[in-house]
Amino acid sequence: MISVSRKLGVLGGLSRPSTIRDHNLINREVLDLTCNRATANLITWSFDPDTIVHLLSQDGWPAIAHQIEEAVANLLLEGVDGLMITSDTLHCVLERESVHLAVPVLHIRDALIEEIRRLSLKKIGFIGTSVTMSNSYYGDLIRGHHDVDVVLPNQNLWVNIDYSVCNRIYNGECTALELETYNQIMTDFEAQNVDGIVVASSEIALAFNKPHAVPVLHTARIHAAAAARWCVAGHDIVRPELPRYDELRSVSAGSHDVIADDTSKIPVTLPYSDSLPYPHNVKRKGKRKTGASLRASVGEQRAPGS
């Protein structure tokens, strides 16, 4: 077993399962790169989901930035050499607020763009929380500045997507509304002839655990692969030949959580404020408080000027 000298600080996802999954994904990638001779040197900080989701629902970006700075300060005391934020939604804070980080940050956006170019994709469907899809972190990609045509879900369905994420965080289960929403989105993506789909949320990824006709790029996996390469830099590594979106791994029959086991603004008019619409007490209010009857037909949605 060889030693990986670079120590990576990991700011976990919005739920305990996603944080554990990200840790496992990074270690699996390091093992693959080093032929099982090394594991990652990681220090993980896990956020309280109640606090983060509540702040998102209240547009509390400065308070979230403070939470990140506090977490990084603690990680620096552990001697980390680099940092990764595993949540796509929390990455948006780096664009909106002045967050001081004293170490290099492995950006999930840069890793995704590199993978899109590696696969020569020209038109992709993109799905994330309303915060992720409407903020500037992925703005250049969504507006087509990287020579990629991007299709977003119909805005009428964004509230359903956010609800499904909150439900996954607190209840860890699928709902009929979630299935209906993602089936509509997938139908539209197929109608738009996309040659790839980007899933920019660990919780949403749980609903995309079946084979599709086009590659599905999970940002969590791509980010983990980039983090693993950073961790083993300077060591003899093996470059994998398979696509890093992992489409060729078999899906076990009857499994609903295969992904879990493997493992600042753009000009868009939102039907609600630039925040998650569900506060931290969503579980107590019940799962059916959302617009379960909302049946908007899914259409191509682009940012103005694209």
Side-chain angles (χ1 to χ4, degrees):
M1 187 72 70
I2 65 174
S3 173
V4 175
S5 57
R6 278 180 162 181
K7 183 182 292 186
L8 181 63
V10 180
L11 299 185
L14 297 184
S15 66
R16 180 184 60 83
S18 64
T19 300
I20 294 173
R21 177 172 56 249
D22 294 331
H23 185 279
N24 291 338
L25 282 171
I26 297 169
N27 266 304
R28 177 172 293 157
E29 292 288 348
V30 169
L31 286 169
D32 288 345
L33 289 172
T34 61
C35 296
N36 296 324
R37 292 181 294 126
T39 57
N41 191 359
L42 306 178
I43 302 292
T44 300
W45 181 276
S46 181
F47 290 107
D48 172 46
D50 274 4
T51 300
I52 297 299
V53 174
H54 175 69
L55 290 173
L56 286 170
S57 70
Q58 300 298 318
D59 201 18
W61 294 99
I64 297 174
H66 177 72
Q67 292 258 338
I68 292 176
E69 288 181 329
E70 184 180 61
V72 173
N74 282 280
L75 291 174
L76 288 174
L77 293 177
E78 300 294 332
V80 300
D81 303 299
L83 179 72
M84 70 180 293
I85 303 173
T86 61
S87 167
D88 297 84
T89 300
L90 291 185
H91 263 281
C92 298
V93 179
L94 302 182
E95 299 291 300
R96 297 178 54 106
E97 303 294 328
S98 177
V99 181
H100 176 68
L101 305 174
V103 291
V105 178
L106 306 178
H107 279 275
I108 197 169
R109 172 189 56 202
D110 299 340
L112 172 62
I113 292 172
E114 177 187 347
E115 183 72 350
I116 291 172
R117 289 173 176 167
R118 191 180 74 85
L119 297 174
S120 300
L121 301 180
K122 297 301 181 183
K123 187 173 187 179
I124 60 173
F126 186 102
I127 180 170
T129 64
S130 60
V131 173
T132 298
M133 293 188 291
S134 64
N135 274 263
S136 66
Y137 187 72
Y138 285 112
D140 284 349
L141 174 63
I142 291 174
R143 288 192 295 266
H145 293 177
H146 293 277
D147 298 322
V148 180
D149 194 10
V150 177
V151 179
L152 297 181
N154 187 290
Q155 285 187 5
N156 290 334
L157 294 175
W158 289 15
V159 66
N160 291 15
I161 296 170
D162 286 346
Y163 175 74
S164 76
V165 171
C166 289
N167 185 71
R168 287 282 188 176
I169 290 173
Y170 289 105
N171 302 329
E173 60 188 29
C174 177
T175 65
L177 177 63
E178 176 181 288
L179 290 175
E180 179 183 356
T181 298
Y182 293 139
N183 283 339
Q184 290 185 50
I185 292 171
M186 286 300 303
T187 298
D188 180 67
F189 284 166
E190 292 171 359
Q192 298 295 333
N193 295 317
V194 300
D195 53 10
I197 298 171
V198 171
V199 180
S201 165
S202 295
E203 282 68 39
I204 295 174
L206 296 174
F208 286 77
N209 60 357
K210 297 179 181 179
H212 294 284
V214 297
V216 178
L217 282 67
H218 297 282
T219 55
R221 292 180 180 177
I222 295 169
H223 201 198
R229 293 192 298 273
W230 181 88
C231 287
V232 301
H235 295 281
D236 293 330
I237 63 175
V238 177
R239 292 290 181 179
E241 297 297 329
L242 292 178
R244 287 195 294 271
Y245 56 81
D246 213 13
E247 64 168 290
L248 299 181
R249 289 191 183 176
S250 60
V251 178
S252 59
S255 172
H256 297 289
D257 292 320
V258 173
I259 301 301
D261 293 337
D262 283 344
T263 348
S264 240
K265 298 181 179 179
I266 61 173
V268 175
T269 302
L270 296 178
Y272 41 78
S273 64
D274 181 21
S275 60
L276 287 179
Y278 295 98
H280 66 292
N281 59 353
V282 62
K283 185 174 182 179
R284 295 196 297 270
K285 289 180 182 278
K287 299 175 221 171
R288 300 188 181 276
K289 187 170 176 60
T290 72
S293 61
L294 179 61
R295 294 177 176 271
S297 60
V298 186
E300 183 171 357
Q301 179 64 46
R302 302 176 189 279
S306 62

